Amino acid sequence: MISDSKDRFLVLLLTILTLVLQEYSYNRIVLLLGILTWIAFSLINKKEKVEVILTRMLILSVPLSFVSISGKSYSHSIVSWYNIFFVILASVVIIRNLMEGSFKLSKLSFMSLQLITIGLITIFNSINAKDAVKQYINLIIPFILIIIGNNMQGSYSEENNKKILFDYIWSTNITGLGTLLQYLAKKLIDIKLGNYAFLGGYRHSFGFLFADYSFLSLYLVTGATLLLYLVDKGKINKKIGAINIIFLVITSVITSARTGIFAFIVVVGILSIPKFFHYLIYNFPRILILTLAVVVLAGTSFMLVGNIRGNRSLSDSGRGKLNQRAFEMFLENPILGVGFGTNNYSKLVGMIPHNLIFQYLAQGGLVFFVPLLVILYMILSSSRRRDPIIFGAILCILVGALFIPNIFNSRYMGAILLIFSIRDIHNIYLNGVKETRYES
């Protein structure tokens, strides 16, 4: 895996110890380790500006974002390191920029602010405002982070932009190691660590410290998509990068959720299309290599998923019916939808739809869904033109969002949009404008 940074290894140690100690209720020890880890992290990076340190800590705390600072489940306490760093970072950036009179909104930030405002309408339209507020808060955090990143112009050097990119990759590796450790502990010595369940009498599901198996599987492959671009452009060691990609893909499959590997295959296919036509004209033998690589990836992934999930690997797990019911609710409430709140939706309709489009059509109606669609298109379009490495990761998340509910609860979507916003405002191009070798 790609990193030689002491501060990143400290976070790795904290995360693995949290996974191991959580099951045995060593909550005070986990809390103390967390405090010491982040203090040490800050001291190691004391020469950096506070915004840079907080950004890096937020990104690296994603693997811990579904548990509290003492290692308890998120249902017991929402005071996680991720939430703490988000609140502090947002407060520091907003207060500093307002005091200096330099607070600004790019087009994307302005659209984010509009979406945040429009979302309030959907809260008032819900039958239980308290439940609606919970979903609303998780939904707006990624868009607040876009605004925050837009206002950190004076804090980031080119080196810092590379650091936060590799922090994200490293955090997916931390999660992959934890998932592998969880898998081996259960298979070899029958010890349960973290979020584990035997579902349906046929599926061993490994969730690491995440609350949702699909969220975890998708997070792991977002790191692989970032590495894919870096390897392809020769910006990191190809052998190490390739091994790291394989590691993240395998650990994604280990979770037993199909969302991650499916999204990764789709993104690889989409990113390979331009190369296919280029090689068709200029280097035909490479078409065979590229085609073989995609076929091997898809075939191997299918066999691994089949091995994990048995003969039900191709089942839609009822997603089609959930989405159909959501669309029917949208047709009944096309303007405002039925309102935010998972419990609200469950009382009115049933299980939340496993698809971003159907979910927000049903919950927010056209009033919320249209601006949401516009801003997601702007993010994809801007990242494709200005920062293709981030484009692959964002595309991967949005493809995965077509098969899971509440993608904005995933934490890592906020992290990747923060990175995108910071890098976008500083015009960090990776497609030939600035040729930099991206060693961490």
Side-chain angles (χ1 to χ4, degrees):
M1 287 169 295
I2 300 171
S3 181
D4 56 0
S5 177
K6 292 180 181 178
D7 49 9
R8 292 174 186 152
F9 276 107
L10 283 175
V11 181
L12 166 63
L13 184 61
L14 170 63
T15 308
I16 297 302
L17 287 174
T18 300
L19 174 68
V20 173
L21 297 177
Q22 179 196 45
E23 187 67 21
Y24 302 100
S25 300
Y26 292 115
N27 301 120
R28 292 181 180 179
I29 295 176
V30 170
L31 176 59
L32 178 61
L33 288 172
I35 293 171
L36 293 176
T37 296
W38 298 117
I39 289 175
F41 187 98
S42 301
L43 292 175
I44 292 172
N45 296 282
K46 60 183 178 181
K47 294 182 180 180
E48 298 285 358
K49 292 187 176 181
V50 64
E51 294 96 325
V52 176
I53 297 174
L54 287 168
T55 299
R56 295 192 62 209
M57 291 197 293
L58 181 142
I59 294 166
L60 287 165
S61 68
V62 169
L64 294 165
S65 61
F66 287 93
V67 295
S68 72
I69 56 177
S70 62
K72 294 182 179 179
S73 69
Y74 202 74
S75 60
H76 288 89
S77 172
I78 64 170
V79 184
S80 66
W81 291 115
Y82 179 91
N83 288 344
I84 289 173
F85 298 143
F86 165 74
V87 171
I88 298 174
L89 175 64
S91 300
V92 168
V93 173
I94 292 172
I95 292 172
R96 176 173 292 182
N97 280 271
L98 287 176
M99 290 179 64
E100 296 175 355
S102 59
F103 192 84
K104 58 188 180 300
L105 293 174
S106 65
K107 289 182 179 179
L108 199 55
S109 296
F110 181 71
M111 283 297 299
S112 297
L113 187 59
Q114 281 190 320
L115 188 74
I116 291 169
T117 305
I118 292 170
L120 294 172
I121 299 173
T122 313
I123 292 178
F124 296 128
N125 189 45
S126 303
I127 58 175
N128 184 323
K130 184 178 179 180
D131 186 43
V133 167
K134 291 179 182 178
Q135 181 180 346
Y136 174 76
I137 291 173
N138 285 323
L139 188 151
I140 66 173
I141 285 176
F143 299 103
I144 292 175
L145 287 171
I146 287 177
I147 299 172
I148 296 305
N150 184 207
N151 284 277
M152 287 198 282
Q153 187 170 1
S155 302
Y156 277 81
S157 63
E158 184 178 343
E159 183 62 30
N160 285 332
N161 276 281
K162 290 189 288 184
K163 274 186 179 180
I164 60 175
L165 182 66
F166 277 94
D167 284 337
Y168 187 94
I169 295 172
W170 183 240
S171 68
T172 60
N173 279 313
I174 290 174
T175 306
L177 279 173
T179 305
L180 182 60
L181 175 62
Q182 181 189 27
Y183 175 82
L184 293 175
K186 179 60 182 174
K187 291 293 183 178
L188 299 181
I189 52 180
D190 198 29
I191 291 179
K192 175 187 171 184
L193 299 175
N195 179 20
Y196 163 81
F198 186 55
L199 301 176
Y202 70 97
R203 173 186 169 191
H204 294 274
S205 297
F206 298 92
F208 178 56
L209 294 171
F210 278 47
D212 185 274
Y213 307 109
S214 293
F215 275 11
L216 173 59
S217 71
L218 186 57
Y219 178 49
L220 291 166
V221 296
T222 59
T225 58
L226 294 175
L227 286 164
L228 199 63
Y229 183 90
L230 296 174
V231 169
D232 181 57
K233 296 299 181 181
K235 296 183 180 295
I236 59 174
N237 183 284
K238 290 191 175 183
K239 289 183 179 179
I240 295 176
I243 292 171
N244 203 162
I245 291 170
I246 293 170
F247 168 75
L248 290 171
V249 169
I250 289 174
T251 52
S252 177
V253 173
I254 283 175
T255 66
S256 83
R258 299 164 297 181
T259 304
I261 189 60
F262 179 79
F264 183 69
I265 291 173
V266 170
V267 171
V268 169
I270 292 173
L271 297 181
S272 298
I273 291 174
K275 292 182 177 296
F276 182 88
F277 289 106
H278 176 78
Y279 294 151
L280 184 64
I281 299 171
Y282 299 106
N283 196 336
F284 183 76
R286 287 205 173 186
I287 291 180
L288 300 177
I289 298 174
L290 182 63
T291 303
L292 180 63
V294 173
V295 170
V296 169
L297 171 63
T300 304
S301 300
F302 177 79
M303 287 189 291
L304 287 172
V305 171
N307 186 54
I308 295 289
R309 294 179 65 106
N311 58 9
R312 305 187 187 188
S313 58
L314 295 179
S315 168
D316 77 342
S317 301
R319 286 176 170 85
K321 292 182 179 179
L322 295 178
N323 296 337
Q324 180 181 354
R325 181 62 181 136
F327 189 68
E328 291 170 355
M329 287 303 299
F330 160 69
L331 294 177
E332 294 176 17
N333 307 272
I335 306 301
L336 296 176
V338 299
F340 287 152
T342 300
N343 292 332
N344 290 339
Y345 188 89
S346 297
K347 291 177 182 178
L348 291 171
V349 188
M351 185 180 292
I352 204 91
H354 285 44
N355 181 288
L356 180 147
I357 294 173
F358 289 109
Q359 178 181 352
Y360 287 100
L361 276 173
Q363 288 190 301
L366 292 174
V367 167
F368 184 80
F369 177 75
V370 171
L372 175 63
L373 193 64
V374 169
I375 192 172
L376 292 178
Y377 172 78
M378 288 175 64
I379 291 169
L380 274 175
S381 177
S382 179
S383 62
R384 183 182 64 82
R385 288 183 287 106
R386 299 183 183 182
D387 203 344
I389 180 175
I390 300 295
F391 168 71
I394 294 173
L395 180 62
C396 190
I397 291 172
L398 293 180
V399 170
L402 299 178
F403 303 96
I404 54 179
N406 293 321
I407 187 61
F408 300 104
N409 293 13
S410 63
R411 281 47 162 194
Y412 53 85
M413 187 171 190
I416 203 70
L417 290 182
L418 174 62
I419 295 171
F420 162 66
S421 184
I422 292 171
R423 288 165 59 86
D424 184 54
I425 202 67
H426 295 286
N427 296 316
I428 301 299
Y429 299 97
L430 302 181
N431 57 354
V433 176
K434 288 188 177 181
E435 285 296 333
T436 305
R437 187 164 178 81
Y438 267 54
E439 300 294 356
S440 61

